[in-house]
Amino acid sequence: MKNLIRKIKFIDKTFQYLAMAATFFVLIVLCVLIWNIFSNGLLRINGSFFTNLPSRHAERAGIMTALAGMGSLLVITIVIALPIGVLSGVYLEEYGKKNKFASFIEINIANLAGVPSVIYGILGLQLFVRMAKMGNSLLAGALTLSLLIMPIIIVATREAIKAVPDSLREASYGMGATKWQTTSRITIPSALGGILTGIILAVSRAIGETAPLLVIGALVYVPFVPEGPNDQFTTLPIQIFNWTTRPQEAFIINAAAGIVVLLLITFLLNGIAIYIRNKWYKKMRY
Amino acid sequence: MYKLEAKNANLFYGDKQALKNINIGIKPNSVTAFIGPSGCGKSTLLRCFNRMNDLIENARVEGDFLMDEINIYKDINTYELRKRIGMVFQKPNPFPKTIFENVSYGLRINGMKDKKMIEERVVESLKQSALWNEVEGSLHKSALSLSGGQQQRICIARALATEPTVLLMDEPASALDPISTAKIEDLIYTLKNKFTIVIVTHNMQQAARISDKTAFFYLGELIEFEKTKKMFTNPEEEKTQNYITGRFG
């Protein structure tokens, strides 16, 4: 008996230390990476880095066009993906019948959320760039990214709506509310925290995407800020990718600086998502 | 004349029959308690009167349900019906909104826009549900910040705001502590003057304390429906006797 207890305790401790070691390993790798990037890039960041156009001279090159391209790309992407994604999620959860076809769709949407992004790039290339003859424009890029993040938004919306307890819907119906009144006044507002979190996480995924945009032909050198949805564009990850392929040391530093900016934007978005989630959960403790 | 009436009522969940040929008439301005073991159909019958069973996909209703001699399933639309028959549920389920928004919800979905009228109705409903003194200064706080008993009274106030004539209560005190339960019971007693109340309860003492008549259900059948006093002292049926003395159920 005593032996057994000693053995269990030993296993317990061993497991604890193994788990701890694994955590620290990941943390250390992350710290080294971040330290490496920041020590290279942080000093390169100054006002003109944000306002300069790309250039053959590393010290005069900036991320103005990349940021502008990324910003416009994201805005168009959100305008397209958000209403379609949220409405699909609401439809599937609140209105659609729960039958075999519905679970077939559910499984496929979950699968779509896990498809490698480059596949979406190939789809976008054929569908938007070639067949719809949009060329390598902002619109084609935004449509491609929309396809990429829509499954994520749908899944997040469904999960958030599913988490709203039925007792709230019953209370609303019991007052004589219609389905639309219940959905619009009770269900969606109660799920909004989860929906918003999902949207922000989807957007922060879209920000980091390079592969699908490269496939549809986003340019690596764009010396102008896009002015309309039919203009060509570049984005920050593509700009970074471009700089890292240059042989000159100074461009590598530029790339590091670009990564710092991109990381900060992603951290910021994730931070906002976590903030909203916590705030909402506090308010919505049923 | 009955306020609520069920005639030859049957209800099926798929193949399973949950209510078997129920005939019952409920007089206005009375409290009627439905008692019986779990799964006996008492909640199911309660939810027939405001058609909440419509929300369950495979539920099928037969027979006639009447309110003021209007056929509930034929002559009135569901939304209108539910405004006239308020419902309070087992677990307090206030919306994650302010107290004011909760109580005014029924008015707003009815399209009432006049702010002054809404306010008057909210205050009156809160007074009717004996909650006004406790929440007077905090109408714009979240209803979820209240205690369980207060939340349940918010739900009652919310149901009263649309000025129904019937109040259906599905075990309204089963999730509450004894003091909150006593408050709800007092409230039911005073509301009787203006409303017809049907309450489902698992608590036999509660049924004996607050109801005028009691209906005992067993396996989907209405076994006995009598004045509460008679029911608890001298029931006709042996099954009722066994249940109220705690021999089964």
Side-chain angles (χ1 to χ4, degrees):
Chain A
M1 190 64 200
K2 228 176 185 175
N3 258 337
L4 185 67
I5 292 176
R6 206 177 297 153
K7 199 176 149 197
I8 292 172
K9 275 191 173 161
F10 176 74
I11 293 173
D12 201 29
K13 280 275 174 243
T14 318
F15 183 76
Q16 189 187 339
Y17 286 129
L18 268 176
M20 223 156 79
T23 313
F24 275 112
F25 177 71
V26 175
L27 274 179
I28 288 167
V29 170
L30 194 67
C31 284
V32 169
L33 276 175
I34 289 180
W35 169 249
N36 189 15
I37 297 291
F38 274 71
S39 61
N40 275 326
L42 205 54
L43 289 175
R44 175 65 184 84
I45 295 176
N46 51 29
S48 59
F49 184 65
F50 289 100
T51 53
N52 278 0
L53 301 174
S55 163
R56 288 186 293 121
H57 306 285
E59 56 284 357
R60 264 193 272 148
I63 54 170
M64 165 99 149
T65 52
L67 273 184
M70 194 167 78
S72 352
L73 186 70
L74 285 181
V75 169
I76 304 175
T77 305
I78 292 169
V79 167
I80 297 167
L82 192 142
I84 301 180
V86 171
L87 286 180
S88 315
V90 171
Y91 173 79
L92 287 172
E93 206 51 50
E94 287 293 304
Y95 290 87
K97 287 232 161 62
K98 303 273 177 285
N99 51 24
K100 284 221 169 106
F101 184 62
S103 52
F104 175 75
I105 290 179
E106 182 170 359
I107 291 170
N108 277 291
I109 290 175
N111 278 340
L112 279 182
V115 167
S117 57
V118 69
I119 309 282
Y120 284 98
I122 295 168
L123 179 67
L125 176 66
Q126 186 61 18
L127 208 60
F128 304 127
V129 178
R130 293 192 183 147
M131 283 167 72
K133 299 203 168 56
M134 291 178 189
N136 47 0
S137 62
L138 255 180
L139 191 60
L143 283 167
T144 309
L145 281 189
S146 302
L147 289 183
L148 178 75
I149 65 170
M150 229 178 294
I152 306 175
I153 295 180
I154 295 176
V155 170
T157 305
R158 293 194 62 172
E159 292 302 323
I161 297 242
K162 214 183 274 179
V164 176
D166 269 335
S167 64
L168 291 186
R169 294 184 186 88
E170 272 197 330
S172 175
Y173 288 130
M175 305 286 305
T178 60
K179 178 120 197 167
W180 163 244
Q181 286 171 328
T182 303
T183 307
S184 64
R185 292 172 191 237
I186 303 297
T187 314
I188 293 181
S190 304
L192 206 57
I195 297 176
L196 281 178
T197 311
I199 291 167
I200 294 172
L201 292 179
V203 169
S204 75
R205 161 138 193 222
I207 283 181
E209 283 302 341
T210 328
L213 296 177
L214 281 176
V215 172
I216 68 155
L219 300 185
V220 287
Y221 178 77
V222 178
F224 54 83
V225 171
E227 279 166 359
N230 294 321
D231 282 355
Q232 295 176 322
F233 68 101
T234 189
T235 71
L236 197 46
I238 296 175
Q239 181 70 68
I240 293 166
F241 173 73
N242 175 25
W243 278 336
T244 54
T245 57
R246 300 287 190 90
Q248 295 94 326
E249 177 73 17
F251 277 114
I252 304 295
I253 289 173
N254 277 2
I259 292 171
V260 170
V261 174
L262 190 61
L263 270 182
L264 290 179
I265 294 174
T266 317
F267 285 164
L268 184 73
L269 282 176
N270 287 344
I272 293 173
I274 291 168
Y275 175 76
I276 292 177
R277 188 166 50 201
N278 289 346
K279 207 177 146 187
W280 218 271
Y281 282 162
K282 226 175 257 166
K283 196 175 146 199
M284 292 285 160
R285 238 180 308 128
Y286 307 110
Chain B
M1 191 184 115
Y2 292 122
K3 183 76 193 173
L4 292 174
E5 205 176 350
K7 286 182 182 166
N8 306 321
N10 291 298
L11 186 140
F12 302 85
Y13 292 125
D15 298 331
K16 196 179 156 278
Q17 187 165 6
L19 292 179
K20 294 171 189 161
N21 196 31
I22 304 279
N23 286 287
I24 192 169
I26 291 163
K27 292 216 171 94
N29 298 80
S30 66
V31 177
T32 305
F34 287 0
I35 61 169
S38 298
C40 69
K42 55 194 188 307
S43 285
T44 302
L45 179 61
L46 188 78
R47 294 163 68 99
C48 282
F49 285 114
N50 67 345
R51 299 189 60 170
M52 286 303 273
N53 289 324
D54 293 13
L55 300 175
I56 300 166
E57 231 163 80
N58 59 356
R60 196 176 86 248
V61 179
E62 286 172 5
D64 291 320
F65 290 87
L66 310 175
M67 176 184 65
D68 298 327
E69 324 227 298
I70 302 170
N71 192 314
I72 287 172
Y73 282 79
K74 287 176 189 147
D75 302 333
I76 183 170
N77 93 33
T78 318
Y79 309 116
E80 189 53 41
L81 173 77
R82 289 183 187 148
K83 276 160 203 162
R84 298 203 206 162
I85 300 188
M87 183 152 193
V88 178
F89 299 84
Q90 181 173 359
K91 212 181 135 223
N93 55 357
F95 301 127
K97 298 169 180 282
T98 67
I99 294 170
F100 186 86
E101 285 170 328
N102 261 284
V103 181
S104 60
Y105 183 76
L107 305 170
R108 285 176 200 273
I109 57 171
N110 264 334
M112 193 189 272
K113 294 247 159 62
D114 187 340
K115 274 193 180 156
K116 219 174 150 204
M117 257 166 78
I118 292 181
E119 241 178 77
E120 273 170 25
R121 283 298 311 148
V122 168
V123 173
E124 202 189 323
S125 308
L126 285 169
K127 280 181 179 160
Q128 275 181 329
S129 59
L131 198 59
W132 177 245
N133 293 335
E134 291 160 60
V135 300
E136 192 182 344
S138 50
L139 288 183
H140 295 285
K141 273 193 189 157
S142 168
L144 296 176
S145 65
L146 300 174
S147 75
Q150 288 172 322
Q151 286 188 11
Q152 193 61 301
R153 278 180 287 151
I154 284 286
C155 295
I156 295 174
R158 183 174 65 187
L160 297 182
T162 52
E163 303 185 288
T165 52
V166 178
L167 206 53
L168 305 176
M169 302 178 124
D170 193 354
E171 298 181 46
S174 66
L176 305 179
D177 64 88
I179 293 171
S180 305
T181 302
K183 281 189 183 160
I184 300 270
E185 288 182 9
D186 288 345
L187 181 57
I188 291 171
Y189 194 78
T190 51
L191 289 176
K192 191 168 88 167
N193 296 323
K194 284 190 77 178
F195 304 91
T196 305
I197 297 172
V198 185
I199 177 171
V200 166
T201 178
H202 270 291
N203 183 332
M204 237 91 64
Q205 286 79 22
Q206 185 172 62
R209 277 195 300 267
I210 59 174
S211 66
D212 301 308
K213 287 186 91 175
T214 301
F216 171 62
F217 294 85
Y218 185 62
L219 297 178
E221 286 177 77
L222 175 60
I223 305 293
E224 193 168 350
F225 181 43
E226 258 305 339
K227 288 220 163 71
T228 300
K229 222 174 211 170
K230 178 162 183 344
M231 189 89 150
F232 280 94
T233 50
N234 187 21
E236 298 281 329
E237 300 284 328
E238 204 188 325
K239 274 182 193 153
T240 318
Q241 174 80 33
N242 287 343
Y243 182 69
I244 58 179
T245 51
R247 242 170 276 168
F248 80 94

